[in-house]
Amino acid sequence: MSLFDTLFIQYNQKSDNIISLSDKINSVKSNLQIDTDFPMLFVGLLNDFVVNKPQYYFNKSVETEVFNNLNTLYHHNNEKFLNAFSEQQQNLFHSINSYYHILDSYNEFNDINFNDEIKIKMYYFPIITQLMEFCLHHFYRTILYITDDFFEDKEYKEQTKLDGINKALIKLGYKYLTDINIDLRNAISHGLIEINRNRNDIFEIIYSYKDKKTHKSNSKILTINDLNNIVNHLLDIASGTFVGIVKLIIKNKLIEKINIEKMDINIQFEFFKLFLHNENIRVKSISKNDSDFSQLKVNIDINNINDKNQIIHILVWIGKIVFATFNNYDKYEINYTHPFSISGSIFFDKKHLNDILFEEDISKIDKIFANGAS
């Protein structure tokens, strides 16, 4: 077993000790119908789509459509596909990061009852815009720009706006992926929308748009329940796209075939964030500082873990994994936030992480930690 495998198993035990890693992997395989082993970097995020809402409700038609179309391209010319896939890592991770930011908003506000007009303006309009303009837009770019390399007579990469990319994907056979209301997004973005109370004292959302066939101005009326359904629909599409792309990567062993170490350091950081992701831990950001000394900083969110000692041990193991992956920095800083206002930081010198890298005895690590880290 490699050092990374060992450290990951230990990290999983310390950060999610309710279910074993092997049980979690088996559950993911069974529920998501994955018939092959997959890199540990996908365990945490795939488990989200098995145990967490709203991810659990991912659109399976979108997942199948995305997987089948991209898989066909891969088997048509796998070398060309790998080159295109490698070039689109930035768009892919823009999608993923946007997806998790939107999930934060969804989980915090979607089921809270407060003034309908305020919720429409402060929650529904922004999240609908974010889902289409940022999350799905980047997923669309990833898929369309990969496809572009297979059509010499097309210039799909010239498409940069959501509407144009959506139309191009429709022509390529993406029926379920493209099932979004761009007219509504345009109305929100351009201020062509009103919120009124009807005679039954119920809020109505009236948005204007131009009919694409007649070019005449039109309008539609939505209720707050319609907005809620639209949010869930868009999120299910994004989730289905996410699962379809990850299953494609697993099925064709793309991680083993692309050279992550030669990619831009920020893309390497993004893959590393996925590696540490689980139900209780999410890496918000990784950044480097090369001023007077080189330092790597990792910012994480911790949920469902309240024991201070357990949190410290998790941070130590994150420090070990970070050092094992990126060992060319002088200092390492791990910052964490917690929903109950427990937050803090832990700092390591390179020497101390090197000393504890292969040590599993927590009491010995505590001694080294007491003598050097802070």
Side-chain angles (χ1 to χ4, degrees):
M1 185 180 295
S2 70
L3 173 62
F4 287 103
D5 290 345
T6 300
L7 289 174
F8 184 79
I9 292 170
Q10 294 167 350
Y11 166 71
N12 186 78
Q13 291 170 341
K14 295 179 185 303
S15 61
D16 182 23
N17 50 20
I18 295 177
I19 180 173
S20 70
L21 183 60
S22 59
D23 287 342
K24 187 183 295 185
I25 291 172
N26 289 333
S27 173
V28 167
K29 285 183 172 181
S30 174
N31 284 281
L32 299 183
Q33 300 179 336
I34 297 173
D35 58 5
T36 185
D37 291 335
F38 53 86
M40 288 190 181
L41 96 96
F42 292 128
V43 174
L45 72 88
L46 285 177
N47 192 56
D48 281 348
F49 295 98
V50 175
V51 301
N52 290 336
K53 297 177 182 179
Q55 299 98 304
Y56 174 83
Y57 298 108
F58 69 90
N59 189 313
K60 293 179 174 57
S61 296
V62 173
E63 174 226 328
T64 301
E65 183 177 73
V66 169
F67 174 85
N68 286 343
N69 286 347
L70 292 180
N71 195 51
T72 297
L73 292 180
Y74 175 79
H75 287 286
H76 178 71
N77 188 327
N78 56 23
E79 184 177 352
K80 182 178 289 188
F81 187 94
L82 284 171
N83 289 334
F85 177 75
S86 297
E87 290 174 358
Q88 294 308 315
Q89 293 305 296
Q90 189 172 45
N91 273 321
L92 178 59
F93 281 112
H94 281 331
S95 309
I96 294 171
N97 289 331
S98 177
Y99 177 83
Y100 282 111
H101 284 304
I102 290 168
L103 274 182
D104 286 342
S105 297
Y106 180 94
N107 290 326
E108 186 168 355
F109 296 113
N110 196 71
D111 293 331
I112 293 179
N113 291 319
F114 51 92
N115 180 276
D116 282 352
E117 186 173 11
I118 294 175
K119 189 169 185 178
I120 290 167
K121 292 178 178 178
M122 303 301 292
Y123 170 67
Y124 282 119
F125 286 173
I127 199 170
I128 287 170
T129 302
Q130 290 164 16
L131 277 163
M132 283 195 261
E133 186 62 38
F134 302 114
C135 183
L136 284 172
H137 194 172
H138 284 296
F139 272 134
Y140 285 5
R141 283 188 178 196
T142 302
I143 293 168
L144 185 64
Y145 293 177
I146 288 173
T147 307
D148 177 80
D149 285 16
F150 289 82
F151 293 87
E152 294 182 1
D153 59 333
K154 303 291 184 181
E155 294 293 341
Y156 290 129
K157 289 180 182 177
E158 291 185 357
Q159 297 290 347
T160 58
K161 295 184 177 180
L162 179 60
D163 190 35
I165 292 175
N166 183 267
K167 289 176 180 176
L169 288 170
I170 290 173
K171 291 180 180 178
L172 289 167
Y174 286 95
K175 173 184 176 182
Y176 301 105
L177 173 66
T178 56
D179 183 21
I180 65 175
N181 187 342
I182 295 179
D183 289 332
L184 176 59
R185 190 272 280 173
N186 290 342
I188 295 172
S189 298
H190 301 146
L192 303 174
I193 199 157
E194 297 178 12
I195 303 172
N196 298 318
R197 287 182 184 270
N198 63 19
R199 65 182 62 183
N200 297 316
D201 203 33
I202 296 173
F203 280 106
E204 292 181 336
I205 300 91
I206 305 168
Y207 72 94
S208 302
Y209 66 97
K210 185 170 288 188
D211 189 282
K212 292 178 175 60
K213 293 182 179 179
T214 65
H215 300 290
K216 293 182 178 180
S217 294
N218 257 320
S219 64
K220 286 187 179 179
I221 299 176
L222 301 172
T223 65
I224 193 168
N225 287 333
D226 292 328
L227 293 182
N228 191 65
N229 290 336
I230 289 169
V231 169
N232 287 325
H233 176 70
L234 292 171
L235 196 50
D236 293 346
I237 290 175
S239 299
T241 308
F242 199 169
V243 175
I245 290 174
V246 173
K247 289 180 74 171
L248 172 89
I249 293 170
I250 291 170
K251 180 71 174 180
N252 296 295
K253 302 185 184 301
L254 300 189
I255 293 299
E256 292 92 328
K257 294 173 183 176
I258 61 174
N259 194 338
I260 296 176
E261 293 182 357
K262 289 188 176 181
M263 290 185 174
D264 180 85
I265 188 63
N266 292 310
I267 298 299
Q268 295 181 46
F269 288 163
E270 294 296 341
F271 276 106
F272 184 76
K273 285 163 62 177
L274 297 183
F275 185 73
L276 292 179
H277 181 102
N278 63 34
E279 302 94 294
N280 302 326
I281 308 290
R282 181 162 71 88
V283 181
K284 295 187 294 184
S285 64
I286 305 177
S287 59
K288 60 177 183 171
N289 179 359
D290 294 319
S291 53
D292 296 332
F293 53 85
S294 61
Q295 176 174 288
L296 197 63
K297 181 186 292 186
V298 181
N299 297 304
I300 66 171
D301 273 334
I302 297 179
N303 289 283
N304 307 316
I305 299 172
N306 301 319
D307 182 86
K308 188 75 172 181
N309 289 328
Q310 184 182 0
I311 290 175
I312 290 173
H313 293 158
I314 290 169
L315 298 180
V316 170
W317 250 260
I318 289 176
K320 291 170 69 169
I321 295 172
V322 171
F323 177 69
T325 311
F326 307 104
N327 61 6
N328 56 328
Y329 293 87
D330 299 319
K331 296 182 181 295
Y332 297 82
E333 176 183 345
I334 317 294
N335 302 305
Y336 73 93
T337 57
H338 191 281
F340 299 134
S341 298
I342 306 172
S343 61
S345 303
I346 188 169
F347 299 85
F348 300 99
D349 286 332
K350 184 174 185 177
K351 177 183 181 304
H352 297 118
L353 286 173
N354 189 61
D355 290 344
I356 66 173
L357 187 58
F358 295 95
E359 183 58 68
E360 298 182 21
D361 188 327
I362 198 65
S363 62
K364 294 181 179 178
I365 290 176
D366 285 342
K367 289 179 181 178
I368 298 172
F369 175 73
N371 291 332
S374 58

